[in-house]
Amino acid sequence: AAAFVDVGIFSAQDAARTYAQERAGALITNLEETTRRQVRDLVTKTIEEGRPLRELKNALREHDVFSASRAETIARTETAEAQGQGKRSAALTQGRNEKRWITAGDDKVDEHCAANAAQGWIDVSSDFSSGRDTIPDHPRCRCDVQYRTSGNLQD
């Protein structure tokens, strides 16, 4: 099997930015389209400019639509969704054929994320046991997905 090679940061960031421009805010229920568009724009700007989640949370909070806790959940989840899809897109473009779920490795790991990680390396086109193709599995998910190119799926 080929050695582990992670996805290039710049191609993944570009893909994450594009994903955020197109889809950020889609998972948030009970929002007017104007608010959803504001969320999409704020998430895109955060990724594009490499700003910390704290700034996104504060910007979401300034719109008086979300509580501090809800703003943090949205900031974490929306950026994770865009980053996960961006990294996945870059990996596919680069011909990666395997992926694995990586948890934060502490006592706060969700049971679905632990089950995803327990699968080890799987085919890049397969969903993880939770039914997701990449992070996040749930709001405030702290996991990551790694990609590699390998000729042997039994590693």
Side-chain angles (χ1 to χ4, degrees):
F4 170 77
V5 179
D6 202 3
V7 176
I9 187 69
F10 295 112
S11 59
Q13 285 295 97
D14 286 343
R17 180 181 39 77
T18 300
Y19 185 87
Q21 286 173 332
E22 295 172 359
R23 306 265 339 257
L27 300 177
I28 307 169
T29 58
N30 301 324
L31 283 185
E32 292 184 25
E33 185 54 36
T34 302
T35 304
R36 193 176 314 279
R37 193 175 318 110
Q38 288 175 326
V39 170
R40 190 169 39 246
D41 292 346
L42 290 169
V43 171
T44 300
K45 183 177 179 180
T46 299
I47 291 170
E48 198 169 65
E49 297 177 2
R51 297 192 176 275
L53 287 178
R54 173 182 28 79
E55 288 185 26
L56 175 57
K57 180 187 82 169
N58 291 340
L60 290 168
R61 188 75 179 107
E62 287 172 13
H63 289 282
D64 293 326
V65 176
F66 307 110
S67 67
S69 176
R70 181 84 164 133
E72 183 173 350
T73 297
I74 291 168
R76 289 185 180 281
T77 307
E78 289 293 333
T79 54
E81 178 79 18
Q83 295 290 358
Q85 291 298 331
K87 195 171 179 181
R88 179 181 174 278
S89 177
L92 293 173
T93 298
Q94 296 169 2
R96 308 292 183 231
N97 62 1
E98 292 184 335
K99 62 184 177 182
R100 70 176 174 177
W101 195 275
I102 306 294
T103 71
D106 58 24
D107 61 350
K108 296 178 184 177
V109 173
D110 174 271
E111 66 185 59
H112 296 270
C113 293
N116 289 343
Q119 289 180 267
W121 290 101
I122 64 172
D123 186 83
V124 74
S125 63
S126 298
D127 285 343
F128 290 98
S129 63
S130 67
R132 295 283 301 179
D133 61 355
T134 190
I135 59 165
D137 188 62
H138 54 83
R140 293 189 182 219
C141 185
R142 299 171 300 132
C143 296
D144 194 13
V145 173
Q146 291 181 327
Y147 296 86
R148 73 176 181 184
T149 303
S150 176
N152 182 358
L153 296 180
Q154 302 304 313
D155 284 350

